[in-house]
Amino acid sequence: MSLKQTPLRAVDADHESDLDQVAWLWLGRLQGEPEPALRREFEAWLYAAPEHVDAYTRAQDLWRLTQPGAARLAEEEAAGLDALLARMDTAPRRRIGRWSAALAMAASLLLVIWVGGWQPQNLLDDLGADHVSAPGEVRDVVLADGSVLTLDADSAVAVHYGGRARQVELRRGAAFFKVTPGQVPFVVTANGGEARVLGTRFEVRLRQAGARVTVEQGRVGVRAQPNGAQQVLGAGQQVAFTDGQAGAVEKVDAQTQLSWREGRLTFYRIPLGEVLAELDRYYPGRIVLLNGDLAGKRISGSFPSNDPSAVLASLKAVVGFEQHELLGRVMILR
């Protein structure tokens, strides 16, 4: 997609937020080596009113602040696009380089705004998935054996039923399982580990380089890696694993931990960075936190999942971060 294809619209200078959004669009269009005609068009807009100069200055200042977060997003999304194209066995490698150069400005703009929310990594996850939920959507799926899985927002699973195992691969997000008893084992795989059902209701939630398993009823055998030691969890217990290493089994309030099924996001002393990562799956765009010190601040509370903007407002009142919304698609916190 050429940046020049994104149209700019005239706005009343009194509407500062609209003007800021136009300034951001100009900032994106001018990355790289813009053609002389485009530069002349920009200069005509810039000097048409003092408010335009002020808006563009604000955009440049905010861009400098967002560069670290944008660089991380660029790496994530470029890697996702790379893997997707490799999976589909299309497009020469030089296309990735061109995308990476464009993403260097701010992946949060180019992939969330310019392309209307298209996320290559999600497409890669969804390519082999049997059931997918959209951002903000929680849905139930009845499997062939009568077992029911509830997908949390922005989640994806692949189902592989055979004579020796009923296997579900969690590809993104989280899912809650109500398993129908049977002779064939029911196994959920996630980031190299697995949860093997011994008769139960439980959740598996992906985390960075691992997953977390929470049991509401019954028992689940959890392995951090295929040949690793099995930890058996009972009702009200939870364990997390990362990079093939399992943590200690902890006792938790399962109803509170699984309140997302009733439309609430509940946290108890959870780092703000993790809270925002959960909220991001309900937000219609991307949430980017640029303040590393705030990321570790622990949050407790219960919030309605159907209004992520209200949740952000509540967090802002408690934590005190600054908040900038770009084109209705990216929320930058610092």
Side-chain angles (χ1 to χ4, degrees):
M1 173 179 290
S2 169
L3 296 182
K4 294 194 298 180
Q5 294 173 347
T6 305
L8 291 178
R9 57 187 177 86
V11 296
D12 190 325
D14 292 335
H15 296 88
E16 184 176 285
S17 61
D18 288 343
L19 196 57
D20 285 342
Q21 293 176 3
V22 173
W24 266 95
L25 285 170
W26 271 121
L27 192 62
R29 294 177 73 184
L30 293 172
Q31 298 309 302
E33 299 180 3
E35 296 178 359
L38 183 62
R39 291 198 63 87
R40 288 194 295 271
E41 184 182 351
F42 164 69
E43 291 170 1
W45 171 83
L46 183 67
Y47 298 118
E51 294 84 356
H52 294 189
V53 177
D54 293 340
Y56 193 73
T57 300
R58 287 194 299 270
Q60 286 183 311
D61 291 341
L62 187 55
W63 177 31
R64 294 187 187 98
L65 290 170
T66 62
Q67 279 184 306
R72 289 193 299 271
L73 284 172
E75 293 177 1
E76 295 171 7
E77 303 294 8
L81 182 63
D82 191 355
L84 174 64
L85 294 178
R87 173 83 64 91
M88 297 176 67
D89 195 25
T90 62
R93 297 288 298 182
R94 63 177 177 274
R95 289 181 59 183
I96 305 302
R98 187 164 66 247
W99 266 89
S100 297
L103 291 175
M105 178 261 175
S108 56
L109 278 175
L110 294 177
L111 288 180
V112 181
I113 300 173
W114 297 92
V115 198
W118 183 65
Q119 296 184 30
Q121 186 60 54
N122 285 3
L123 288 180
L124 175 61
D125 294 337
D126 297 351
L127 195 62
D130 295 294
H131 305 287
V132 177
S133 61
E137 176 192 24
V138 174
R139 57 177 295 227
D140 291 332
V141 177
V142 180
L143 302 179
D145 64 340
S147 298
V148 178
L149 66 86
T150 302
L151 283 174
D152 198 356
D154 195 20
S155 299
V157 297
V159 180
H160 311 283
Y161 272 25
R164 296 186 176 182
R166 297 173 289 170
Q167 181 174 315
V168 177
E169 177 191 1
L170 182 60
R171 302 177 69 92
R172 185 172 72 256
F176 179 82
F177 300 86
K178 301 177 187 176
V179 180
T180 299
Q183 297 298 317
V184 179
F186 190 100
V187 180
V188 180
T189 60
N191 270 350
E194 67 172 37
R196 184 173 294 266
V197 171
L198 307 175
T200 190
R201 296 154 58 102
F202 68 107
E203 177 204 61
V204 180
R205 180 172 296 273
L206 288 183
R207 305 179 76 185
Q208 184 69 32
R212 187 184 71 198
V213 179
T214 305
V215 179
E216 181 182 63
Q217 177 183 309
R219 295 188 304 153
V220 175
V222 179
R223 299 181 191 274
Q225 51 184 302
N227 297 320
Q230 178 176 260
Q231 296 171 290
V232 178
L233 277 62
Q237 290 187 315
Q238 180 183 88
V239 71
F241 58 85
T242 304
D243 291 326
Q245 300 296 317
V249 175
E250 298 181 356
K251 188 170 182 58
V252 297
D253 183 341
Q255 292 297 320
T256 299
Q257 293 275 329
L258 305 174
S259 62
W260 58 267
R261 296 172 299 164
E262 282 74 50
R264 297 200 68 80
L265 300 176
T266 303
F267 308 99
Y268 177 69
R269 295 187 56 77
I270 302 298
L272 177 62
E274 294 185 24
V275 171
L276 293 175
E278 292 297 323
L279 186 62
D280 192 47
R281 296 209 318 273
Y282 289 83
Y283 185 75
R286 295 296 296 266
I287 300 173
V288 181
L289 178 63
L290 301 178
N291 189 320
D293 293 334
L294 290 182
K297 187 176 180 62
R298 295 192 175 271
I299 300 295
S300 297
S302 184
F303 310 94
S305 61
N306 64 350
D307 193 352
S309 295
V311 179
L312 282 175
S314 297
L315 294 173
K316 179 180 178 180
V318 173
V319 179
F321 50 70
E322 295 182 26
Q323 183 173 312
H324 304 272
E325 185 174 9
L326 306 178
L327 302 179
R329 298 292 300 173
V330 179
M331 187 65 71
I332 296 177
L333 312 179
R334 62 183 180 89

